[in-house]
Each structure stands twice: as structure tokens, then as C-alpha cells.
Amino acid sequence: MRVVSGIQPTGNLHLGNYLGAIRNWVRMQDDMQDGGQCLFFLADLHAISMPHDPAQLRAGTLEMVAALVACGIDYDRSILFNQTQVPAHAELQWLLNGTARMGWLNRMTQFKDKSGKNREGASVALFSYPVLQAADVLLYQATHVPVGDDQKQHLELARDIAQKFNNDFCAEDAPLFTLPEPYIPPQAARIMSLRDGSAKMSKSDVSEMSRIDLVDDADTILKKIKKAKTDPEPLPSEEAGLDGRPEALNLVTIYSAITGQSVEKILSEFGGEGFGKFKPALAEVLVETLAPINARFLELKDDRESLDAILARGAAKARELASPTLSATYDALGLVRG
Ligand code: TYM
């Protein structure tokens, strides 16, 4: 089993990232059997696909390392690195650009969302971003990729690219690339904004009140949950009663994902109650889970030397693992490396 996943080091790690992806990274790392390997990386090359501030990207990269370690990523057991220090990611992307089809990329909803009405003004990197994401996982022959629901389409594309490359350039009994399986948490695939139950919780939302950041202290969490948008109805006693109530559903989903309790059980306790009772209970379980992460993050975040060393060590291991697949890709394409 080879687990590979990434996160963009732009902005803070938020509850959606944590419940949708990072918590599964930690679980998969902790359950990994002998012979398996987890690779987790900061997708800093992806971050330049949108307008960005270089100083913030540099600082955000180190902060994200601290945040991931605070969440439980163990850099002795897992390989933790940033793409920039492993040039094979960018090299493989170029090689796969020959296989990816314009029509496939044209269908990517994230490109449509992020470019909005200004497609002509979007960067080429934003358009070809999913090919880099395919390279990220194919480079390591990933078998499982733990992500939130919003990344599913990109992983399907990675599978299509792998399949076409194997068909076009490899013998039938010797495919080069493993087809990666997305692993999406059943309960917390999509955590929504606290201000709008129809939009996903996102670091690019201008309103900080729309998300819980993992670095928020207890008072901030309480304030954000108290101000979270809801409707005037009390909570229902049955799950079906959450239909058409996206904000209520989101808060119950978060409670369920954090505590591991089923939605049914939560509604049997809170059904008939207003949000005046449910919100403080939700804030309490959030603080309980996030306070130790927050404390560890604060301890680590300014230790520049240690954070640099973690990345350097991870990158050295990743470069080694990446090398055979990259060489085989050049060979399969008839490119002479000397
Ligand atoms: P990114 O940085 O936007 O998010 C990191 C992870 O968090 C998940 N996530 C969510 N899950 C549930 N609810 C939400 N509101 C929510 N918001 C974010 C994402 O699904 C993701 O798993 N393109 C990727 C990074 C990437 C990558 C890869 C991932 C680059 N290469 C290779 C996997 C494999 C991204 O921008 O994720």
C-alpha cells in the first residue's frame, strides 16, 4: 500500500481540510502495515497557479509543515516534503502533458470555479494544474489517495492519464503506472462554510467567519460557531428532517465527524432543541479536539531550523522513491537521458 496526498500551503489549515483529508492521513499512517509507505507533501507548485505573494507562500509553507506535524503526521514514519524540492514532480508533469487531452482538462470543475468569468485571464498553470496533480501521485505509484470530495474529479483524471499512458507506451503485461484509488471519508467528505451551507469551507473565502482554522483559540471557535448561519427551526429528531436545511446539516455533520457519533444518535439527543443549546455543545467538542493541535502548532511554528530540516529530509527520501518511475517514463517515451 502506498498512500500519497498533498495540500496547498496557502492560508491556514481549516476544519474542512482536517476532517476531509488530514485526519485520514494520520489514520492511514498509524494503521500502515510493514512494507507500506505514506508520502504527504505541500503542493507549493500548485500554489503559483493563482495570484500569490511570494513572502506569504514561503511563510505559509513552513507553517503548514508545523500544522501537519501538530495534527499527528510523524515525519519519521511518513515522508513529509514540499514539491519544489523534488523536481521530478514538475518533470513528470511535462511528460504527462503529452498524454493528457485538452477535452479532459476542459471538464474540470475546479478550473471553471477558480477562473470564473475571466477564463482568458486565468494562468496556464491553473488549467494544467490537474496534470501536475496526476504527476504527484503517479510518480510514487500511489495506491490510495486520501482527499475530500472536491478532489475526486482530479483523481479520476489521474487514472485516465495513467491508463492512456500505459495503453499507448507500455506492453500490455507491463503497465508503468498504478491506477490510484481516491479515499474519501464517508462522513466528512465536504464540510461547508459556516456562513453559507451551499459553499464548501475554503481558505480562499474572504470571510474568516466562514471557517474554523486549526490555529483558532477556544474563544474564537466559540464566537465563530455562535455566529454560524442557521435557520429558526429547532433540530429535527430524524435525519430526513435535515433535508433542505444545509446549514443545520453542516453543523450536525461536523459534530458527527468530530465525535464519531452517528447523526441519528446526535439527533436523538438534540432533536427538538434550538441551536442555542446545540451550538455551545458543538463548540465544546471542537475545542476539545483542536486545543492540543493548536498548542503543539504554536510550539513548532517558529522553529525555522527544525521545519527546514524536516522538509529537507523528506525531500531526500521522496527524490529517491521518485527516481525509478521518472526514468522509466523518459524511457517509455523514447527520450534519451544519457
Ligand atoms: P487543498 O489544499 O484545497 O485541500 C487539501 C485537502 O483538504 C480537502 N478539503 C476538504 N475536505 C472536506 N471539506 C472541505 N470543505 C474541504 N476543503 C478542502 C481537499 O479535498 C484536500 O484533500 N489539489 C489539492 C492538493 C493536491 C493533491 C495532490 C491532493 C495537489 N496534488 C495530489 C491529493 C493528491 C488541493 O488543492 O487541496
Side-chain angles (χ1 to χ4, degrees):
M1 189 169 176
R2 171 100 24 114
V3 174
V4 179
S5 198
I7 181 165
Q8 293 199 56
T10 42
N12 288 324
L13 196 62
H14 59 70
L15 191 65
N17 298 135
Y18 181 66
L19 295 175
I22 313 304
R23 196 170 61 160
N24 279 332
W25 296 11
V26 176
R27 287 178 177 166
M28 290 171 114
Q29 160 195 277
D30 292 349
D31 294 346
M32 185 54 78
Q33 309 289 325
D34 282 352
Q37 179 74 67
C38 291
L39 293 103
F40 301 121
F41 63 90
L42 311 180
D44 51 0
L45 292 177
H46 282 89
I48 65 165
S49 60
M50 294 292 279
H52 78 287
D53 170 4
Q56 257 176 27
L57 179 56
R58 204 170 292 125
T61 300
L62 293 176
E63 284 208 353
M64 191 58 87
V65 180
L68 294 178
V69 173
C71 287
I73 298 300
D74 173 349
Y75 46 89
D76 281 328
R77 273 187 292 159
S78 297
I79 300 179
L80 179 57
F81 65 101
N82 61 322
Q83 283 170 320
T84 296
Q85 294 192 47
V86 186
H89 287 247
E91 286 181 69
L92 185 62
Q93 179 194 15
W94 182 255
L95 301 182
L96 297 178
N97 274 338
T99 296
R101 304 287 96 184
M102 292 290 288
W104 298 352
L105 292 179
N106 268 328
R107 285 197 288 276
M108 296 293 115
T109 55
Q110 182 177 292
F111 175 72
K112 290 182 198 163
D113 290 348
K114 287 200 171 172
S115 59
K117 291 205 175 69
N118 187 19
R119 275 181 79 137
E120 296 298 307
S123 73
V124 173
L126 188 65
F127 185 71
S128 64
Y129 175 118
V131 186
L132 178 58
Q133 184 157 345
D136 294 337
V137 295
L138 301 181
L139 189 55
Y140 301 103
Q141 307 289 346
T143 55
H144 296 79
V145 184
V147 284
D149 189 55
D150 61 325
Q151 296 302 317
K152 193 169 168 208
Q153 196 187 31
H154 287 162
L155 288 173
E156 280 161 4
L157 181 92
R159 290 171 66 90
D160 289 345
I161 292 176
Q163 195 134 38
K164 180 165 167 55
F165 190 101
N166 288 343
N167 284 342
D168 290 355
F169 300 110
C170 307
E172 209 173 318
D173 56 350
L176 173 51
F177 293 117
T178 306
L179 302 197
E181 276 302 330
Y183 178 72
I184 298 173
Q187 260 179 344
R190 198 169 264 269
I191 300 297
M192 310 311 277
S193 155
L194 299 178
R195 308 299 307 159
D196 173 1
S198 64
K200 75 170 183 184
M201 186 177 285
S202 160
K203 37 197 159 196
S204 49
D205 194 315
V206 285
S207 164
E208 291 204 353
M209 296 303 283
S210 70
R211 61 183 166 263
I212 304 280
D213 285 320
L214 264 72
V215 297
D216 285 345
D217 59 21
D219 288 345
T220 311
I221 293 175
L222 186 61
K223 187 173 83 189
K224 288 181 176 177
I225 293 294
K226 274 195 170 155
K227 293 224 159 119
K229 186 176 166 200
T230 44
D231 54 42
E233 301 297 316
L235 279 168
S237 307
E238 307 280 325
E239 212 169 327
L242 290 170
D243 286 353
R245 299 179 64 188
E247 283 83 17
L249 173 66
N250 190 36
L251 294 186
V252 173
T253 302
I254 294 174
Y255 193 101
S256 165
I258 283 278
T259 59
Q261 287 176 25
S262 67
V263 169
E264 200 183 17
K265 161 113 196 338
I266 297 164
L267 294 181
S268 74
E269 185 181 344
F270 290 98
E273 302 282 357
F275 287 96
K277 176 146 181 229
F278 183 66
K279 282 181 167 180
L282 174 59
E284 194 183 317
V285 293
L286 279 168
V287 169
E288 220 169 84
T289 304
L290 301 187
I293 295 178
N294 189 323
R296 188 139 165 69
F297 171 75
L298 294 176
E299 252 172 59
L300 295 169
K301 80 174 179 53
D302 295 319
D303 188 352
R304 169 85 203 242
E305 220 172 291
S306 304
L307 299 174
D308 279 338
I310 291 172
L311 287 182
R313 225 175 91 190
K317 292 191 210 160
R319 282 195 295 265
E320 210 175 296
L321 279 184
S323 167
T325 299
L326 185 67
S327 294
T329 313
Y330 276 110
D331 282 350
L333 291 168
L335 295 162
V336 181
R337 285 178 103 192

